[in-house]
Each structure stands twice: as structure tokens, then as C-alpha cells.
């Protein structure tokens, strides 16, 4: 008989079956419980019970993520320097905006970093001239446009840290979808669909049909189209203790331009890297890394990063507080 983590908890209150379930959901967030149960070697009922418990406590959520760049949006990484006494208020003001995500306090609380979405290139000028908090306590702003993401979005850190072996992952992975080119325009039904999936990525087709006013067949077809265009992807938000994920540290790197793509792809393969992208600005490569503690971060910087000779400068900024995480509004 399968055990419950409530009966045999680890130090974090989670056990190996919980971790295997989370990894399975990352491979296919809408996989039937029967398919997951077959791979994990437990009963359908056990998988359903575990998932319900994890979701009800907020430990795990399957979400429908939206890649705004597939809709023509431009992503910016902002570094806002301000007086320590003002940092929390400015960060909270940024977090309230619908176009921001990953608003964090770094560098001992004297800097705020966040991701801002502008709907198109023309809106980018307004980003700096009119839409940032206007206060004398903001001492400086630097903006880095995201040119190319090497890892992140539909690529999850869970894929690197999860306990499932390659055979189990292959058994769960759905067939690859063709990639559709061309612009995508969303109507009100699409927005209602994406909003429902952003709350619960496992919402059934019948429920989604009721939300959108479409038939279940139309819902299924439109979800497939949005995924083929790269607009919609499934993501898993989980308690970082489930997989032993440590605190985030932001890296701003300078790389010799001929080696930028090579270094970016290398970083993307590091198990510590949750996000990596080429950017404009004073530095040209950004990465978010997670390490279990300061010693692990030191080892990462002095081994993996130090082994990249094209990296000429590295600035580290430990995240001391996350005010807002990802946003999926469209």
C-alpha cells in the first residue's frame, strides 16, 4: 500500500511520491491521473488524493502560462535603485501594475528588479518616460530589453530537479505539437479561456466551455492552436521545499558578443539556472540561479561560471524578498 506523507513525512513534510507527482505534472500538466498512476506505479486514487491535498494546501498548482512575446509584446528587465526606506513602497507600487512580474528586492534592499511587459515596440518609450513610479526616492533606473530567452517560460526548473528518470518522462510526454508561425489575435473568448487556465491549468473542457461560451470541441481545438503558436503553455507552481529549491540569485553577466549564444546555451543547461536570456544594456546576459545556500552559490560561481572564459564580468544580486511572482494577464 502506498504511504501518505502525513504518515511518513520528510523534513519538509513531503515525500518521494509527492516529488514524483510534481515532476509528472511538469511533463504534462493535463495528463489523466490514470496515466500518471501507471508511470508512478500507484493507484489512480492515490494520485488523485495526493494531488488534491497538495493543491488544497497551495503546495502545487498547475497553471496555464502565457508567453507575451508570442503576442508581439516586448519584455524588459528593470533595475530600480532607490533609498532603502522607500524600496518596499516602490516595489509594492510596481507589483500592483498588471504589466509587471517577478518584482523582487535585491542588493540588501537598495534595488528592485522586475519584469515589465510592453505591448509593442512603440510602448517601450513610455515605459521609462511615463509609467514608472515618480518619486525623488528613486535614484536611478536601468532597463534591459530581453532579446532572446535561452531558458525559462515553458522550460521549468522542475524538469532539471525532478526525480523521474528518462523512461518515465518519455512515457508521460505528450506528442510534440507543430510550431505555427504568424500573428495571433485574441478575442474575448480567448481571454476568458486563458484567464480560467491561469487559475487552474487542469480545468476540464466542459467547465472551460461554460466559461467561454464555446463547445468543448472548440475549446480543445483553440487550446491546441494557442499552444502551437507558443502563446499558451502549462506550468507548475510548487512549494520550493518539494524539490529542495533554494533562494534566487540574479546574475548580470558581460560576455564577448561572438560567444553570447554559446554561453547562453551553456547556462541554460546548468541545473542551477531557472531563467537565462540575452539582453540589451550595460550587460548582455542575465540569469536567475537557485542554490541551496551561500556555499553552493560560491561553488557554482567558482566552478561552472568560472569555466566560461568568454564571461568577462559577473554581478550577483541575491533576492531578499519576492514581492510578486509571475503574472499571466493578457
Amino acid at each position: 500500500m502506498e504511504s501518505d506523507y502525513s504518515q511518513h513525512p520528510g523534513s519538509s513534510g513531503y515525500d518521494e511520491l509527492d516529488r514524483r507527482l510534481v515532476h509528472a505534472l511538469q511533463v504534462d500538466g493535463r495528463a489523466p491521473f490514470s496515466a500518471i498512476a501507471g508511470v508512478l506505479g500507484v493507484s489512480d486514487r492515490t494520485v488523485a488524493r495526493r494531488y488534491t491535498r497538495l493543491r488544497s494546501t497551495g503546495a502545487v498548482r498547475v497553471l496555464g502560462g502565457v508567453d507575451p512575446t508570442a503576442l508581439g509584446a516586448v519584455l524588459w528587465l528593470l533595475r530600480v535603485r532607490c533609498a532603502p526606506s522607500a524600496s518596499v513602497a516602490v516595489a509594492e507600487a510596481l507589483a500592483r501594475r498588471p504589466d509587471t512580474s517577478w518584482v523582487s528586492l535585491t542588493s540588501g534592499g537598495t534595488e528592485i528588479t522586475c519584469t515589465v511587459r510592453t505591448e509593442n515596440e512603440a510602448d517601450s518609450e513610455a515605459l521609462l518616460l511615463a509609467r514608472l513610479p515618480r518619486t525623488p526616492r528613486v535614484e536611478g533606473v536601468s532597463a534591459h530589453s530581453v532579446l532572446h530567452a535561452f531558458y525559462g517560460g515553458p522550460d521549468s526548473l522542475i524538469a532539471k530537479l525532478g526525480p523521474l528518470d528518462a523512461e518515465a518522462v518519455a512515457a508521460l510526454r505528450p506528442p510534440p505539437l507543430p510550431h505555427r508561425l504568424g500573428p495571433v489575435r485574441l478575442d474575448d473568448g480567448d481571454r476568458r479561456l486563458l484567464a480560467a487556465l491561469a487559475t487552474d491549468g487542469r480545468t476540464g473542457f466542459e467547465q472551460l466551455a461554460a466559461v467561454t461560451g464555446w463547445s468543448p470541441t472548440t475549446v480543445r481545438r483553440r487550446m491546441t492552436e494557442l499552444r502551437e503558436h507558443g502563446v499558451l503553455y502549462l506550468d507548475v507552481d510548487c512549494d520550493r521545499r518539494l524539490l529542495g529549491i533554494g533562494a534566487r540569485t540574479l546574475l548580470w553577466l558581460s560576455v564577448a558578443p561572438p560567444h553570447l549564444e554559446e554561453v547562453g546555451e551553456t547556462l541554460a543547461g546548468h541545473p542551477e539556472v531557472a531563467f537565462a536570456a540575452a539582453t540589451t544594456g550595460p550587460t548582455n546576459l542575465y540569469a536567475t540561479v537557485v542554490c541551496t545556500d551561500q556555499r553552493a552559490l560560491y561553488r557554482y560561481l567558482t566552478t561552472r561560471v568560472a569555466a566560461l572564459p568568454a564571461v568577462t564580468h559577473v554581478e550577483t544580486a541575491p533576492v531578499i524578498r519576492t514581492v510578486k511572482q509571475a503574472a499571466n494577464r493578457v
Side-chain angles (χ1 to χ4, degrees), residues 117-310:
R117 181 189 73 245
T118 60
E119 298 307 319
N120 49 54
E121 293 284 357
D123 284 347
S124 296
E125 183 178 358
L127 168 71
L128 294 178
L129 296 182
R131 297 164 66 186
L132 289 175
R134 294 185 177 183
T135 168
R137 295 175 296 178
V138 172
E139 299 171 350
V141 177
S142 61
H144 306 248
S145 177
V146 176
L147 300 176
H148 175 75
F150 296 104
Y151 198 85
D155 300 316
S156 171
L157 192 62
I158 297 171
K160 298 178 177 181
L161 303 180
L164 295 182
D165 59 24
E167 182 179 357
V169 170
L172 284 167
R173 192 180 304 282
L177 293 172
H179 179 64
R180 291 198 186 193
L181 300 175
V184 180
R185 292 187 178 181
L186 303 182
D187 60 22
D188 290 341
D190 291 323
R191 292 186 178 88
R192 288 192 292 267
L193 172 65
L194 294 173
L197 291 171
T199 300
D200 182 1
R202 290 184 64 87
T203 303
F205 291 117
E206 294 287 347
Q207 292 171 278
L208 293 171
V211 169
T212 59
W214 300 336
S215 69
T217 301
T218 299
V219 168
R220 185 190 297 268
R221 175 180 56 79
R222 188 54 175 160
M223 283 181 61
T224 299
E225 291 173 350
L226 291 173
R227 294 185 71 178
E228 289 174 347
H229 278 286
V231 174
L232 172 66
Y233 62 91
L234 294 176
D235 196 8
V236 175
D237 179 26
C238 73
D239 183 339
R240 68 185 191 184
R241 293 175 298 173
L242 260 165
L243 297 175
I245 298 173
R248 290 187 302 135
T249 298
L250 313 184
L251 303 186
W252 305 90
L253 306 98
S254 296
V255 179
H259 302 285
L260 180 57
E261 183 169 1
E262 176 189 357
V263 174
E265 294 290 354
T266 301
L267 282 178
H270 291 174
E272 298 87 353
V273 172
F275 180 79
T279 71
T280 63
T283 57
N284 58 357
L285 185 60
Y286 166 86
T288 302
V289 302
V290 291
C291 297
T292 53
D293 53 30
Q294 294 293 86
R295 290 182 180 179
L297 175 62
Y298 175 78
R299 286 195 298 272
Y300 174 67
L301 294 173
T302 55
T303 55
R304 292 184 183 273
V305 176
L308 302 171

